[in-house]
Amino acid sequence: MRRIVTILLLLYLSMVAISCAKQPSYDVWYGYSDRYGFMVVSVEKGKAVVVAAIPQPILGDYRRALAAQGIESDNLGAIQSLFGLEANHYLRGDAQQWSTVAEQLMLAEGLPYQGVRPSVDAIARLLVKHAGHLSKNSTIGTLGSLGGPKTDSNDIVSALKLLEKRVPLLRVYDMGRFLSKGTETGHLQWWIGKWTDQVLREAVLEIGVN
């Protein structure tokens, strides 16, 4: 009997230790353009940045499926519903606004802008590479115009300055490469939620959060 009590006590203490272990901190941004809905997660104050983009046609299908169930949503609400994390900030912009951002990024890279926006991966990497320049340059007005709910130019400047202080582990996923239109709504939400948990867990392991 005493042995059973000891084992139960050890199990209880192990569970307490696990529950008290340090949990990684996430700063979550959701946004959309004319081409994508996206999630950006800053892990442990910019030690890692995870970007995931869902093509607008897939996001539109998801919104229509929700509407058929009597659930009305906008782009930002649908994106948050799919990824499942509570957001700290939101971004939104039309084709012209994002083209202006792309042009500023290309200029910062010393390249001419030919009117064709770079890929999701390229835009993310250029934003990280030139974060310091963008946070101090007049381009912040362009980036500030993308601010949605809970977000203004100061929030964007703070995020850029944080990236300037370190070279983060950057992981970028264009989910259009492995998602297709017509995926059943409930399955899509479940799958993306599980996928999000997994990629964030991998990022945390790579940066060595204790």
Side-chain angles (χ1 to χ4, degrees):
M1 181 65 179
R2 182 177 298 174
R3 184 177 181 181
I4 293 175
V5 171
T6 301
I7 292 173
L8 290 175
L9 180 60
L10 289 173
L11 286 173
Y12 172 76
L13 291 174
S14 297
M15 291 174 65
V16 170
I18 292 172
S19 65
C20 292
K22 181 179 182 294
Q23 297 298 311
S25 65
Y26 296 139
D27 194 33
V28 182
W29 297 61
Y30 291 125
Y32 66 85
S33 70
D34 56 309
R35 300 194 302 184
Y36 291 96
F38 58 85
M39 173 190 72
V40 180
V41 181
S42 171
V43 183
E44 289 291 302
K45 300 299 182 184
K47 289 184 179 180
V49 176
V50 176
V51 180
I54 299 176
Q56 273 289 358
I58 295 174
L59 188 62
D61 278 353
Y62 182 67
R63 288 183 61 190
R64 284 186 287 274
L66 290 177
Q69 300 171 29
I71 304 172
E72 294 300 323
S73 65
D74 59 10
N75 275 329
L76 293 175
I79 296 164
Q80 182 159 310
S81 171
L82 283 171
F83 286 106
L85 299 174
E86 184 176 350
N88 303 97
H89 298 288
Y90 298 90
L91 301 171
R92 58 190 176 193
D94 57 23
Q96 181 58 52
Q97 287 171 296
W98 284 105
S99 290
T100 302
V101 170
E103 181 177 11
Q104 296 294 340
L105 288 173
M106 297 297 282
L107 289 174
E109 187 69 1
L111 297 172
Y113 181 61
Q114 304 292 342
V116 178
R117 273 179 277 166
S119 67
V120 171
D121 183 82
I123 286 178
R125 294 185 187 282
L126 288 172
L127 275 169
V128 170
K129 180 179 179 179
H130 299 291
H133 168 74
L134 293 171
S135 70
K136 302 178 182 70
N137 193 273
S138 59
T139 54
I140 194 58
T142 299
L143 293 171
S145 72
L146 301 174
K150 300 167 63 174
T151 308
D152 58 24
S153 295
N154 291 331
D155 297 313
I156 296 172
V157 168
S158 295
L160 291 171
K161 286 184 175 179
L162 189 63
L163 291 175
E164 181 186 14
K165 294 178 182 178
R166 66 176 88 242
V167 178
L169 170 75
L170 179 63
R171 294 291 180 263
V172 184
Y173 304 90
D174 182 347
M175 301 180 75
R177 296 176 180 175
F178 46 88
L179 291 177
S180 59
K181 282 173 59 61
T183 305
E184 193 274 324
T185 307
H187 177 74
L188 183 66
Q189 184 184 39
W190 177 87
W191 188 89
I192 290 179
K194 293 295 183 183
W195 178 87
T196 302
D197 288 343
Q198 181 62 32
V199 297
L200 292 180
R201 188 177 298 114
E202 289 173 0
V204 167
L205 288 173
E206 286 192 67
I207 61 176
V209 176
N210 296 318

